[in-house]
Amino acid sequence: MKKQLLFIAIAGFFSSMASAADLNVRPTGAGGAYTTVSAAITAAANGDRIIIQPRTDGSAYVENLTINKSLTFVSETNYNKYFIRGTVNITPAAGRVVTISSLSSGNFTIYNVIVNGATTGGRTTLNLYNCYLNNVDGTPANTTTNMSGCTVSGYVFFSHGRVTGNSVGRMTAYNTSSDTSLATSDVEIIGNASNSVIANQQISYNFKFYNNFTSGFGVYATKPGGSNEIVNNTVYDPNGGDVAPIYITGNGNPGSGGNVAIMNNAISFVVAQTNACIQTDGIATVTATYNVSTNAFVTEGTITQSNNTGAVNMNFNNTEYTVTGGNVNAGNPAVAYTDLDLTRNDAGHYGGSNSWSNYFPADNGGKPQVNYLVTPRAILSTTTLNVTGSAYSK
């Protein structure tokens, strides 16, 4: 009986694999291909892959897309993007997974990738890899947005997900309403370059901000009782502003609280309306350790501090995304924070195991890209060794 059940399970697995199909989109319809992406979506079934041929003259497929199935979109030409001039709308549904790789939206700011509404009875997942986009909106409840290797000229707003190795205008973890079908992982923003502030304004999940190059962090809400981290980032603001480059405030949001740990960051900013490196109004319990700043290390609000250093000589480049100088070997000396070369943690975005060098250059010479990896930093005595990761091919 066990053998028979196993055979049935295996047969079912292979039949489900066989049901997935590849649908081609080509401008001329060569080889029986569809001439529009919309026609391919209409003909596709859940689990199918739509392979889009970039136009040889660089022009766009001019069409708005409504994606109402679990589908994967890829380029027919390796490492080349296809150009769609139109808005990409994702219709939410429990269990729906939409993966888009190598899409270019061009320089048309009105064309965005949008999840249209909350998901009921489960979650919608949107994966974006190696894309050139204008704006991304994944804010509706029960939506997970995973992004890697993308350039986004405008904003990325998302309620939950993992965002690694992207260049963006600005980025906010934000939800239009709290999730009711909770994901099991945190909000993770790792190894990105942001021209503006990276922010959190959702209360459903812990947030992890690691190894980003940004002009600042804004925390406008936190999960009640949650544990949040701002670790090994480079914060560089050559313009100055009315709040500190790391700013933690309730901003009128109910239900906030929890903890925010700020550690191993390299900070430089022009003093404007405040000279504080970190400000908080009591929204959360804040600790700050092993941070270094070119400014005097001044804080406002109740913050538990140790081993922070001001007036550190560092050089920042927000074009090449580098920081050098007194940040080297200035981070937490604990083994858990050692650099990839096993030396003491360098404060800033190259330090620690989530180093910026894991994610950039994003193109990596046209090779498949590992965009997330979790391994133990120390092995003591255990019978189980857990290593997890994810990758995508361009």
Side-chain angles (χ1 to χ4, degrees), residues 15 185 284 316 350 354 362 382:
S15 64
S185 57
F316 296 77
Y350 277 98
N354 283 297
T382 180

Side-chain angles (χ1 to χ4, degrees), residues 30-372:
Y34 297 93
T35 57
T36 67
V37 181
S38 296
I41 292 172
T42 299
N46 283 319
D48 285 353
R49 184 172 65 161
I50 295 177
I51 304 172
I52 305 169
Q53 183 184 70
R55 292 177 179 265
T56 55
D57 62 358
S59 62
Y61 293 88
V62 182
E63 50 184 316
N64 293 318
L65 302 183
T66 297
I67 304 174
N68 55 4
K69 303 164 186 175
S70 290
L71 299 171
T72 297
F73 298 81
V74 299
S75 175
E76 183 177 274
T77 307
N78 286 343
Y79 319 124
N80 284 19
K81 293 180 175 65
Y82 49 89
F83 181 10
I84 295 178
R85 182 176 172 180
T87 296
V88 179
N89 297 284
I90 314 297
T91 302
R96 178 157 294 157
V97 179
V98 175
T99 299
I100 302 174
S101 177
S102 300
L103 164 67
S104 172
S105 297
N107 294 313
F108 297 94
T109 56
I110 62 173
Y111 302 130
N112 307 314
V113 178
I114 302 170
V115 178
N116 285 322
T119 305
T120 302
R123 301 190 63 79
T124 297
T125 299
L126 170 62
N127 302 314
L128 297 169
Y129 303 130
N130 186 38
C131 294
Y132 178 80
L133 306 170
N134 298 303
N135 299 298
V136 176
D137 186 345
T139 57
N142 307 320
T143 300
T144 291
T145 303
N146 301 312
M147 289 183 58
S148 192
C150 297
T151 297
V152 183
S153 57
Y155 62 77
V156 176
F157 291 168
F158 67 108
S159 59
H160 170 266
R162 178 183 297 142
V163 180
T164 64
N166 305 281
S167 296
V168 303
R170 60 187 174 122
M171 183 183 303
T172 300
Y174 173 84
N175 57 353
T176 52
S177 60
S178 298
D179 283 3
T180 54
S181 297
L182 291 171
T184 58
S185 57
D186 298 326
V187 166
E188 297 173 303
I189 298 178
I190 306 174
N192 301 281
S194 177
N195 295 331
S196 186
V197 170
I198 294 174
N200 183 78
Q201 197 167 342
Q202 56 78 37
I203 63 172
S204 296
Y205 303 98
N206 300 324
F207 64 81
K208 311 296 183 188
F209 296 164
Y210 298 155
N211 295 85
N212 301 285
F213 193 108
T214 177
S215 65
F217 290 102
V219 177
Y220 305 108
T222 56
K223 176 184 175 181
S227 178
N228 310 286
E229 296 180 301
I230 303 174
V231 176
N232 267 117
N233 302 279
T234 296
V235 180
Y236 178 64
D237 184 0
N239 301 311
D242 57 351
V243 297
I246 301 179
Y247 182 56
I248 304 170
T249 176
N251 200 34
N253 289 297
S256 294
N259 303 285
V260 179
I262 304 170
M263 181 172 60
N264 298 343
N265 300 289
I267 303 168
S268 184
F269 64 100
V270 172
V271 173
Q273 296 185 40
T274 179
N275 65 342
C277 298
I278 306 171
Q279 284 178 297
T280 179
D281 65 1
I283 178 181
T285 301
V286 179
T287 60
T289 58
Y290 292 101
N291 300 286
V292 294
S293 174
T294 56
N295 307 64
F297 203 89
V298 175
T299 63
E300 294 182 16
T302 302
I303 301 173
T304 301
Q305 301 185 57
S306 65
N307 298 293
N308 299 300
T309 308
V312 175
N313 184 18
M314 292 181 286
N315 298 302
F316 296 77
N317 186 315
N318 60 352
T319 302
E320 299 297 326
Y321 302 114
T322 59
V323 55
T324 57
N327 63 301
V328 175
N329 295 331
N332 192 318
V335 171
Y337 303 103
T338 53
D339 292 339
L340 296 178
D341 62 1
L342 301 184
T343 60
R344 176 174 168 171
N345 182 279
D346 292 349
H349 61 306
Y350 277 98
S353 60
N354 283 297
S355 172
W356 173 274
S357 59
N358 289 332
Y359 307 100
F360 285 88
D363 179 69
N364 199 28
K367 300 180 179 68
Q369 182 87 346
V370 174
N371 62 340
Y372 193 72

